[in-house]
């Protein structure tokens, strides 16, 4: 079985699980294109069943989700932008904050007005 995303005007509208042969007989008269996506791919890395990188093909950078964007020029899926200040780029296609998440073991949330992390108490 594989996972396939329906893309309409660059946006993922549906994700299904199907055998690839399904599409040889499936008739879909609605606009859009079906593209394969890998449940085991995130951040441009393919992960094995143990959750560790396994060197497999990282299909389209990230597993597609409804509301995700498909960038046809780069042949990648990526999530909606979480905050206006966050940026995205190759090779991982994961949104990055302008300030890295603190590494002191505490729990933080992003505060867009101050463009910084705020500790949760």
């Amino acid at each position: 079985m594989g996972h396939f995303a329906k893309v309409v005007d660059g946006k993922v509208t549906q994700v299904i699980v199907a055998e690839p042969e399904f599409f040889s007989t499936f008739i879909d008269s609605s606009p859009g294109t079906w593209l394969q996506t890998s449940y085991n791919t995130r951040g441009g890395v393919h992960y094995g069943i143990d959750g560790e990188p396994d060197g497999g093909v990282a299909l389209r950078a990230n597993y597609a989700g409804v509301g995700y964007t498909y960038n046809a020029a780069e042949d990648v899926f990526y999530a909606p932008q979480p905050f206006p200040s966050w940026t995205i780029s190759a090779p991982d296609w994961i949104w990055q904050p302008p300030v890295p998440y603190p590494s002191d073991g505490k729990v933080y949330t992003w505060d867009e007005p101050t463009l910084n992390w705020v500790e949760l108490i």
Side-chain angles (χ1 to χ4, degrees):
M1 291 286 210
H3 293 83
F4 295 86
K6 175 85 175 256
V7 178
V8 179
D9 296 327
K11 292 291 181 191
V12 176
T13 61
Q14 187 177 6
V15 179
I16 64 169
V17 178
E19 294 290 350
E21 298 80 28
F22 170 77
F23 289 96
S24 63
T25 58
F26 175 60
I27 298 173
D28 184 0
S29 59
S30 63
T33 304
W34 287 97
L35 298 170
Q36 190 167 9
T37 184
S38 173
Y39 184 77
N40 297 320
T41 298
R42 58 190 178 278
V45 176
H46 188 274
Y47 292 85
I49 196 164
D50 60 359
E52 296 296 320
D54 66 1
V57 175
L59 185 62
R60 298 192 169 96
N62 292 292
Y63 177 68
V66 173
Y68 277 40
T69 295
Y70 174 67
N71 179 325
E74 299 289 339
D75 192 27
V76 297
F77 292 110
Y78 56 87
Q81 187 176 20
F83 298 97
S85 66
W86 290 33
T87 58
I88 196 167
S89 63
D92 61 5
W93 297 96
I94 293 180
W95 293 101
Q96 298 296 325
V99 176
Y101 191 87
S103 59
D104 59 8
K106 297 177 184 175
V107 179
Y108 293 85
T109 187
W110 181 252
D111 182 56
E112 187 67 10
T114 64
L115 298 178
N116 215 333
W117 295 100
V118 176
E119 183 179 355
L120 290 178
I121 300 173

